[in-house]
Amino acid sequence: MRILDGAELLHREALWLREIATRTRRYTAALPDLDDDELRAVRKAVLHAWIRYRYPISLQFVTNYVGIAATAIGMAVASSAAGGVAVLFAMGSDSSAARAPWWLFPLATWAAVCLSLLVNGRADLRQVVSLVHRLGLRGTARRVASAYVGNWFVLAVALALVTVAVVAAWLTVVTALSASTGQQLITAAAGLFGAVLGLVGNRWILTIQEFLRRKYRAAHGPRPLDGLLVELVAAAAVSFEARAHWWDPRNIKIVRRRLAFAIEAAHDTSVIRRRTSVRELAARRQARQFHASLAELIRRHDRAVTQVHTVEEYDAITASLRAGVLALAAEDLTALMQHSAAEPSVSRVARLVRRTGSSLVLVVFAMVIPLLPGVDSATGEGVRVLLFMTAALTLTPASDLASSSIRSALERSLFAKSTN
């Protein structure tokens, strides 16, 4: 089964290149006070950087399919493992006749994963519903029956996700209602783990896609600052376009979203890493420091745009972004970095502690809470499962849930007896 035939692939490539040219004209036209020569130079630099920075359409399709499939398999494995741990705690903590079947706990985790993915991807789901509504039943059936993966993959994934989420959630609720209180708490802990796991599903997909795209990118590849130029010119253009309503929080959020993309592009040292070996620590450290300084410079603009009080302050930020675009387009790093301060170096140990600190705190709470006075053994074991699972998830981008998990665990532990 082919993914795309040659004619369709060339057509999509041409459309994407035309879209790049259109956006380049729009973004550069938004920069004020450029004469014709400057405008042509900036437009040429941005267009060439964008073409080098983009990924071929065929690679985008393949990495999308692989990322979704690998994420589904990984979450199924993680859900099964979490359900197995919950089964062990349930078997050891409750010997009543109302013991739930063993499959309840992995099913609860998987149901929560699917529901969380639906909530997290609700914008994509609305687009799928709109497509089905536009095609109609007959057109949707023809598309699903097509021989090309690109025609039916998204529809099939969305339909399978909705079906599994509804069936699994219904079975989980019906089965859990007949279980004992202790097992319901463990089921809730397994469901919470699945919900948090589903919230990072999109991040898993994007991480896998980015890894594959960088690995199989064409040999010529981008230059080190191509991505930053593309994202920074987009951020500058959006900031100028939003000047008429600079006080509107919605416009500020749009500008900050584009600046976030620029900060992420500034942190990217993949081109440098491909030029060096793992033993060239000094070269890699210097590259990280330079890119960290770039990211910090853009981050200052992000912080400043949240604190503007007058149009003059907003104009100063947009003028600085415009100057950065012109410096990048002219490859003048001295002008680009003239207002940046040195980014302090951070040791690997400090970065490791910063990354794992929340997990260590949760592990300590998991060991201490079941030993507190007034906490029975069944509830304490359920709380321990919850906190150990959350500790594992804090290593992912969902670490902001750590403090709320601690508070909810304490409330269940200390007040469970009074509510029974």
Side-chain angles (χ1 to χ4, degrees):
M1 183 180 293
R2 295 173 295 174
I3 297 176
L4 287 173
D5 65 356
E8 179 67 14
L9 183 60
L10 289 175
H11 177 66
R12 290 178 181 270
E13 289 282 2
L15 288 178
W16 181 227
L17 289 174
R18 187 170 65 181
E19 178 67 18
I20 287 177
T22 302
R23 292 188 185 185
T24 300
R25 286 194 297 269
R26 172 199 158 192
Y27 291 154
T28 53
L31 303 178
D33 302 328
L34 294 179
D35 58 34
D36 292 340
D37 292 337
E38 288 178 325
L39 182 60
R40 280 194 297 268
V42 173
R43 185 169 292 173
K44 180 180 178 181
V46 173
L47 181 60
H48 289 181
W50 206 331
I51 291 175
R52 289 190 299 263
Y53 181 64
R54 66 179 288 275
Y55 299 101
I57 292 293
S58 58
L59 185 60
Q60 293 182 31
F61 273 87
V62 172
T63 55
N64 186 34
Y65 303 150
V66 174
I68 292 176
T71 299
I73 295 173
M75 291 199 167
V77 172
S79 299
S80 300
V85 173
V87 168
L88 294 177
F89 277 100
M91 292 177 61
S93 62
D94 196 348
S95 59
S96 65
R99 175 179 294 173
W102 64 270
W103 48 262
L104 169 64
F105 307 104
L107 183 66
T109 308
W110 184 243
V113 167
C114 294
L115 292 174
S116 186
L117 286 173
L118 288 176
V119 173
N120 201 25
R122 57 189 180 276
D124 297 330
L125 192 62
R126 282 196 295 266
Q127 293 181 3
V128 172
V129 173
S130 176
L131 176 63
V132 173
H133 179 73
R134 186 171 67 252
L135 294 176
L137 293 179
R138 184 175 299 178
T140 302
R142 281 199 303 265
R143 194 173 183 120
V144 171
S146 172
Y148 301 120
V149 177
N151 287 341
W152 57 261
F153 184 83
V154 175
L155 291 175
V157 169
L159 180 61
L161 183 59
V162 171
T163 303
V164 172
V166 172
V167 174
W170 178 75
L171 286 175
T172 299
V173 172
V174 171
T175 309
L177 289 177
S178 61
S180 62
T181 303
Q183 292 189 349
Q184 288 176 350
L185 289 175
I186 298 177
T187 304
L192 178 60
F193 175 86
V196 177
L197 186 64
L199 289 177
V200 298
N202 286 347
R203 182 59 63 90
W204 282 25
I205 295 173
L206 293 176
T207 301
I208 296 171
Q209 287 180 342
E210 190 65 21
F211 171 77
L212 293 175
R213 289 174 182 177
R214 289 179 179 176
K215 184 175 179 61
Y216 296 104
R217 188 196 289 266
H220 57 274
R223 298 177 184 178
L225 298 179
D226 280 347
L228 177 58
L229 176 57
V230 170
E231 301 297 348
L232 190 60
V233 72
V238 169
S239 65
F240 278 107
E241 292 171 348
R243 184 187 184 278
H245 301 281
W246 60 269
W247 64 87
D248 192 335
R250 291 173 297 181
N251 290 334
I252 296 297
K253 289 181 180 179
I254 293 173
V255 174
R256 295 194 66 198
R257 188 181 305 117
R258 299 305 316 189
L259 288 173
F261 293 149
I263 292 170
E264 185 177 355
H267 274 299
D268 183 15
T269 59
S270 58
V271 177
I272 306 297
R273 290 197 300 269
R274 285 197 294 270
R275 295 174 178 175
T276 59
S277 69
V278 293
R279 293 174 296 179
E280 296 177 280
L281 300 179
R284 293 192 171 205
R285 181 171 60 252
Q286 291 176 356
R288 284 197 303 269
Q289 290 174 350
F290 174 74
H291 283 263
S293 298
L294 279 175
E296 177 59 27
L297 184 59
I298 302 172
R299 196 175 286 112
R300 288 185 208 160
H301 292 76
D302 176 67
R303 289 193 292 264
V305 80
T306 64
Q307 303 171 18
V308 291
H309 298 88
T310 63
V311 68
E312 288 77 13
E313 293 179 356
Y314 186 86
D315 287 341
I317 296 171
T318 56
S320 179
L321 291 175
R322 174 186 176 277
V325 170
L326 297 181
L328 270 177
E331 299 182 352
D332 188 354
L333 296 185
T334 302
L336 178 66
M337 302 295 292
Q338 64 180 348
H339 299 298
S340 67
E343 180 72 8
S345 59
V346 181
S347 66
R348 292 180 181 271
V349 175
R351 289 197 300 268
L352 180 63
V353 171
R354 184 183 303 171
R355 181 176 177 82
T356 60
S358 299
S359 296
L360 295 177
V361 171
L362 285 170
V363 169
V364 171
F365 271 91
M367 301 301 295
V368 171
I369 288 178
L371 304 179
L372 294 177
V375 180
D376 59 33
S377 59
T379 304
E381 292 300 329
V383 170
R384 181 170 291 172
V385 172
L386 167 67
L387 292 181
F388 276 136
M389 290 178 178
T390 309
L393 289 172
T394 53
L395 299 176
T396 69
S399 58
D400 56 338
L401 297 174
S403 60
S404 61
S405 297
I406 294 175
R407 288 194 298 269
S408 62
L410 282 169
E411 291 175 359
R412 277 196 297 271
S413 299
L414 298 178
F415 302 108
K417 288 185 176 181
S418 61
T419 58
N420 291 339

